[in-house]
């Protein structure tokens, strides 16, 4: 599938100006901290669900300061400005199905069951408010690759009061977000972050550096709101694509705002190349959600558990088997291939696959 990434120089320059307002510049407010409620009722964004005060007291953060140090940290790295041979693709897929829904968020509301808006979880079947790296490691997964026990979640989509859950394996891309795709390395075990912000405005959503094509339905693209011209046909679904930051500071697996340890690539001055910023020099895979919701036709009653259409965001908690993830990153991203969940590129069969027919290391 052709990559239609928004990580290009023009949008990155514009997007960089928004990082602080979207939480990537170190704001103290939690990703899901609600706004002040008007007298007499809850806000529209969280109607019918009282949100708990955010907590940074994760079991992996015993001092409660919100910082989870990487052990060991990655030091001595500078952003790569190399230009390897041009390749259009450098990616693989993690195909993961929905496992459950729950009003939990182990990143933003650790050990506070029911404290968040409702989330739709994919990947690890055990993800809940009490999840840690160790508990995810011990869990099972709905992903095709058994080695991917990561937790992936997003606000639940509703049509009226009925949850609309994606059916079958969803496409989660792992791509190179920087020009030097050979510099991309696997995620450290336990890395977690929030992509986007449920409190963002419609304009912030549209201009977000992770925005690819917004909400899509049929031939309607780049929508901030749910499209009003969604064909009512069995083959049509509501879709969204959204990209995560892919540059890491090398120091923390999490930070108090669940964003500041990650950053989007920037443009290397005097070139059209994407590089990691100096304060986030470690190039990691760029996660891109491509979600398909089985709803079409009249979308006037469609909403997200987090609020309006532009409140879309998602969370990632890395619990990949380290050897499996490295094999896929090295073979497909560094190797400049367009791989499926086995790490196989149909257009380059001579390259073989990273995993066997059971999606495991050979």
């Amino acid at each position: 599938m052709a990559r239609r990434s928004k990580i290009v120089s023009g949008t990155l320059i514009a997007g960089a100006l928004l990082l602080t307002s979207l939480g990537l510049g170190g704001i103290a407010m939690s990703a899901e901290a609600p706004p002040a409620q008007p007298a007499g009722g809850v806000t529209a964004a969280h109607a019918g669900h009282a949100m708990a005060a955010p907590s940074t007291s994760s079991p992996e953060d015993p001092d409660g300061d919100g910082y989870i140090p990487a052990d060991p940290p990655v030091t001595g790295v500078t952003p790569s400005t190399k230009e390897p041979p041009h390749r259009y693709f450098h990616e693989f897929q993690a195909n993961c199905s929905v496992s459950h829904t729950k009003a939990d968020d182990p990143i933003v509301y650790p050990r506070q069951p029911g404290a968040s808006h409702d989330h739709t979880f994919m990947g690890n079947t055990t993800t809940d408010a009490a999840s840690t790296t160790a508990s995810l490691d011990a869990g099972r997964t709905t992903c095709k690759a058994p080695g991917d026990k990561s937790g992936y979640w997003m606000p639940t989509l509703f049509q009226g009061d009925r949850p609309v859950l994606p059916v079958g394996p969803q496409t989660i891309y792992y791509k190179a977000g920087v020009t030097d795709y050979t510099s991309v390395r696997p995620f450290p075990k336990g890395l977690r972050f929030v992509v986007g912000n449920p409190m963002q405005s419609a304009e912030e959503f549209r201009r977000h550096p992770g925005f690819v094509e917004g909400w899509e339905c049929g031939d309607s693209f780049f929508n901030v709101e749910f499209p009003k011209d969604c064909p009512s046909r069995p083959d049509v679904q509501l879709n969204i694509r959204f990209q995560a930051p892919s540059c890491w500071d090398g120091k923390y697996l999490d930070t108090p705002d669940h964003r500041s340890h990650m950053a989007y690539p920037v443009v290397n001055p005097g070139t059209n190349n994407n590089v990691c910023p100096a304060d986030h020099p470690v190039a990691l895979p760029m996660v891109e959600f491509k979600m398909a919701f089985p709803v079409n036709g009249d979308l006037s009653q469609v909403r997200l558990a987090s609020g309006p259409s532009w409140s879309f965001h998602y969370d990632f908690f890395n619990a990949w088997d380290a050897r499996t993830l490295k094999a896929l990153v090295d073979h497909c991203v560094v190797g400049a291939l367009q791989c499926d969940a086995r790490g196989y590129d149909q257009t380059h069969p001579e390259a073989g696959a990273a995993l066997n027919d059971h999606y495991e290391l050979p």
Side-chain angles (χ1 to χ4, degrees), residues 33-68:
Q37 295 180 4
V42 297
T43 64
H46 300 287
H49 188 80
M51 303 291 285
S55 169
T56 56
S57 184
S58 163
E60 296 169 280
D61 175 28
D63 61 5
D65 66 353
Y67 292 93
I68 301 178

Side-chain angles (χ1 to χ4, degrees), residues 45 155-158 215 226 302-313:
T156 299
L157 185 85
F158 288 89
W215 293 100
F226 297 124
V302 171
R303 61 182 174 86
L304 293 171
S306 54
S309 55
W310 54 83
S311 70
F312 181 80
H313 59 288

Side-chain angles (χ1 to χ4, degrees), residues 65-85:
D65 66 353
Y67 292 93
I68 301 178
D71 184 19
V74 175
T75 60
V77 175
T78 56
S80 175
T81 58
K82 295 179 182 178
E83 295 186 43

Side-chain angles (χ1 to χ4, degrees), residues 218-296:
D219 294 326
S220 180
F221 303 92
F222 301 107
N223 295 290
V224 171
E225 298 185 15
F226 297 124
K228 294 179 173 59
D229 53 349
C230 182
S232 182
R233 299 199 315 261
D235 62 329
V236 172
Q237 297 190 79
L238 178 68
N239 293 269
I240 189 168
R241 296 174 63 183
F242 210 83
Q243 295 175 340
S246 58
C247 297
W248 179 44
D249 65 8
K251 301 175 183 177
Y252 300 106
L253 301 178
D254 196 11
T255 42
D257 65 0
H258 316 296
R259 298 177 178 87
S260 295
H261 53 308
M262 300 296 297
Y264 284 87
V266 296
V267 177
N268 190 25
T271 74
N272 197 37
N273 295 340
N274 297 323
V275 299
C276 283
D279 55 354
H280 292 75
V282 184
L284 302 177
M286 180 194 73
V287 172
E288 178 183 312
F289 267 31
K290 183 180 180 184
M291 302 289 111
F293 301 89
V295 63
N296 55 36

